Amino acid sequence: MSLLDSAENTPLLRDDTAGDENADRSRWRSIRVMYFTMFLSSVGFTIVITSIWPYLKKIDDSADASFLGWVVAAYSLGQMVASPLFGLWSNHRPRREPLVCSILINVSANIYYAYVHLPTSHNKIHMLLARAFVGFGAGNVAVVRSYVAEATSLKERTCAMANMSACQALGFILGPALQALLSFIGETGITLKLIQLQVNMYTAPALLAVVFGIINILLVIIVLREHFVDDNGKYIRSINYTAEDQVAVAPEVEGDIDQMAVLTSNILFFVILFIFAVFETISTPLSMDMFAWTRKDAVLYNGIILAAIGFESIIVFLVVKVVSARVGDRPLLLGGLIVIFVGFFFLLPWGNQYPKIQWTDIKNNTMPTISLAVTPTSNTTVEPTGCPSEQTWCLFTPVIYLAQYITSDILIGVGYPTCNVMSYTLYSKILGPKPQGVYMGWLTASGSGARTLGPVFVSHVYTILGPRWAFSIICGIVLAAIILLAGMYKRLIAFSVRHGTIED
């Protein structure tokens, strides 16, 4: 067999020229730059998340816990607005343009975050805007996903998407770890008087994100190239960006996209991100109420648990790559939802034992203190622990045991990453060779909306009605998603399978 014959039978080598191997290496180098971009997007979200509250209180005493919720949500709101816009841009122009622009916005927003202490008033508003712009820059996730989807064949895509999810999970793990390391700088740190910059435990993480962003921009400019392959792995077009080159555009393909499958995928992705946002939000108050942990214990133990879940997710992503090749994407997505349902079902309170009640000081008929107050009661220096009596459900809701909590964490740590990677892998296959920028933008926007609404929903339902109602509603939502997936199961197939160009 000649070398040219061998090239024709090799899906990664798309034509009969001597530069095919170089083009293929360039394609995977570009995909790895997208992995790195996804990693930095995750780091950008988590690297300051544990220090936002003390930094906010330091720069503006008028900020309260409810405003903190808006500051945290601002990131997801910014990303939700930006994702479709960057996706549309990437459909009509080289992906380098929206990527460089979005990362520049991200870098500028992190610099803004480091200077929010300077204004003489409305500092909390400046922090809110800074986090919103950081989120706006993170809207490039839609471009990243569409690039990887359009640069991989149907067989390669699940593996590539799993790798990207693993990089995202690694970013979520390393972000808080980097923040913890930088906390040794202290609140005072050092001041660069010439540029009026304070480098301390609050600003250093944002400045490190700036350095990462600059590296990311250089990689996008130097390494990234446009690559398109069809579902069979056949090379369509590859263009190195220069001023003389035309914009790389995927050719028109016959056949239409199943819009009902697209809508179903967006709903499922919303549910998946919604329930995980609920899980992230509720872990600390739930553990403090049920296990009588102090604030310090809750932060430490839940930090360890979330880090363990992050590592568990990476293992799941690696396993998914192997299992999906044998059983397919839809069964894994369905199985992941079932595992999540079981995980939340485990969290339902059962039995006759009740949590330790945090009785507040009622001496001299004074009003009870708020359960989440920063300062302890006036006649003691010991932090009150247990389920606050102000939450009336504490008096009649059975306790959730630590074994229940850990078991649920493990199950959700398996189900969530499986559903996450399978949902947008399947979504990219449904879109097929059509331009995916806008569609991926809507998927990212639906996920950002879920991460915005999830914490608001659970904080209200849990505080007022308790864990039994909160987790029962979540179980109902997951069950509805399972029924939706089962009902649309036959329509959630790859574009090329639907139009008969590839057999399922």
Side-chain angles (χ1 to χ4, degrees):
M1 180 183 290
S2 68
L3 178 62
L4 293 180
D5 291 336
S6 176
E8 288 177 352
N9 294 322
T10 305
L12 297 182
L13 305 178
R14 273 79 49 178
D15 58 35
D16 298 329
T17 65
D20 287 343
E21 289 189 26
N22 289 333
D24 190 59
R25 283 197 292 267
S26 173
R27 180 168 71 100
W28 282 103
R29 280 198 299 267
S30 298
I31 290 172
R32 291 183 185 107
V33 171
M34 295 298 95
Y35 292 164
F36 184 67
T37 304
M38 181 65 83
F39 167 78
L40 291 186
S41 176
S42 298
V43 169
F45 175 72
T46 60
I47 196 169
V48 300
I49 200 68
T50 58
S51 64
I52 283 180
W53 177 236
Y55 188 31
L56 181 61
K57 291 298 291 181
K58 181 180 179 181
I59 64 173
D60 196 328
D61 286 335
S62 67
D64 56 16
S66 62
F67 191 82
L68 172 66
W70 284 108
V71 172
V72 174
Y75 178 95
S76 296
L77 287 171
Q79 189 179 52
M80 182 171 62
V81 171
S83 296
L85 300 178
F86 286 128
L88 180 63
W89 188 353
S90 71
N91 274 359
H92 299 282
R93 298 291 301 169
R95 260 73 70 94
R96 178 185 294 174
E97 292 180 9
L99 284 171
V100 170
C101 177
S102 61
I103 300 169
L104 278 174
I105 292 172
N106 196 288
V107 167
S108 301
N110 276 301
I111 294 173
Y112 181 19
Y113 182 87
Y115 279 100
V116 294
H117 64 279
L118 277 183
T120 56
S121 62
H122 302 100
N123 301 79
K124 65 181 182 181
I125 302 298
H126 288 287
M127 179 178 282
L128 177 73
L129 291 173
R131 289 302 294 170
F133 283 121
V134 171
F136 193 92
N140 61 18
V141 168
V143 183
V144 171
R145 286 175 175 160
S146 67
Y147 181 93
V148 173
E150 293 174 8
T152 52
S153 68
L154 209 59
K155 291 183 177 179
E156 297 169 333
R157 198 164 303 154
T158 299
C159 180
M161 291 294 188
N163 288 339
M164 190 161 59
S165 295
C167 291
Q168 188 177 27
L170 187 62
F172 278 117
I173 295 169
L174 291 184
L178 290 171
Q179 166 71 85
L181 289 174
L182 293 171
S183 66
F184 290 104
I185 297 175
E187 286 194 329
T188 305
I190 59 173
T191 301
L192 304 178
K193 294 183 179 179
L194 184 63
I195 55 176
Q196 294 185 295
L197 176 64
Q198 292 182 5
V199 182
N200 54 37
M201 62 184 289
Y202 304 126
T203 61
L207 296 174
L208 182 60
V210 169
V211 175
F212 286 156
I214 293 171
I215 295 172
N216 199 181
I217 290 173
L218 292 175
L219 287 173
V220 168
I221 293 173
I222 296 170
V223 179
L224 184 69
R225 300 292 182 266
E226 282 288 295
H227 293 278
F228 292 99
V229 299
D230 64 15
D231 285 350
N232 293 297
K234 182 181 178 182
Y235 176 80
I236 299 174
R237 189 178 299 176
S238 172
I239 290 183
N240 294 344
Y241 293 136
T242 64
E244 293 79 17
D245 280 328
Q246 298 293 322
V247 177
V249 179
E252 288 295 324
V253 179
E254 292 185 2
D256 58 337
I257 296 172
D258 187 344
Q259 297 299 332
M260 281 301 298
V262 168
L263 178 61
T264 300
S265 298
N266 273 276
I267 293 172
L268 291 174
F269 192 69
F270 178 91
V271 170
I272 292 163
L273 270 291
F274 180 87
I275 56 182
F276 191 72
V278 166
F279 173 73
E280 284 182 314
T281 304
I282 205 62
S283 59
T284 298
L286 178 69
S287 59
M288 292 176 68
D289 292 345
M290 293 295 159
F291 315 135
W293 287 350
T294 63
R295 289 188 296 272
K296 182 178 179 180
D297 288 341
V299 171
L300 174 62
Y301 298 149
N302 282 300
I304 294 171
I305 290 171
L306 287 175
I309 290 174
F311 283 112
E312 180 188 12
S313 298
I314 293 175
I315 295 171
V316 170
F317 290 135
L318 297 176
V319 172
V320 159
K321 293 195 295 183
V322 178
V323 176
S324 64
R326 295 179 178 272
V327 303
D329 300 332
R330 291 175 297 174
L332 276 176
L333 179 57
L334 182 60
L337 284 172
I338 293 172
V339 171
I340 290 174
F341 175 84
V342 175
F344 276 99
F345 189 80
F346 257 95
L347 276 178
L348 291 173
W350 304 95
N352 298 317
Q353 186 172 342
Y354 298 91
K356 173 188 173 184
I357 303 300
Q358 182 189 128
W359 296 106
T360 53
D361 187 5
I362 57 173
K363 190 174 182 179
N364 296 326
N365 295 320
T366 56
M367 291 297 291
T369 57
I370 298 173
S371 60
L372 295 180
V374 176
T375 58
T377 54
S378 59
N379 60 346
T380 181
T381 58
V382 178
E383 178 185 340
T385 59
C387 201
S389 57
E390 293 82 6
Q391 296 176 166
T392 54
W393 57 262
C394 293
L395 303 176
F396 56 81
T397 300
V399 70
I400 295 174
Y401 297 97
L402 183 60
Q404 279 181 269
Y405 184 63
I406 298 297
T407 302
S408 175
D409 289 343
I410 293 171
L411 290 171
I412 294 172
V414 172
Y416 169 71
T418 302
C419 290
N420 183 280
V421 66
M422 286 299 102
S423 58
Y424 63 75
T425 299
L426 189 58
Y427 186 69
S428 69
K429 292 179 179 180
I430 290 169
L431 300 177
K434 298 285 187 177
Q436 299 195 7
V438 173
Y439 284 103
M440 284 294 181
W442 287 119
L443 187 74
T444 304
S446 68
S448 299
R451 294 189 69 89
T452 303
L453 294 177
V456 176
F457 161 82
V458 73
S459 61
H460 283 77
V461 175
Y462 177 82
T463 302
I464 298 171
L465 300 175
R468 177 172 285 166
W469 274 96
F471 299 140
S472 293
I473 294 173
I474 293 299
C475 285
I477 292 173
V478 178
L479 185 59
I482 292 171
I483 294 171
L484 175 63
L485 175 57
M488 295 293 294
Y489 194 83
K490 293 183 178 180
R491 296 187 68 165
L492 299 177
I493 56 176
F495 181 95
S496 51
V497 173
R498 179 169 174 258
H499 291 281
T501 57
I502 290 180
E503 291 184 4
D504 195 358

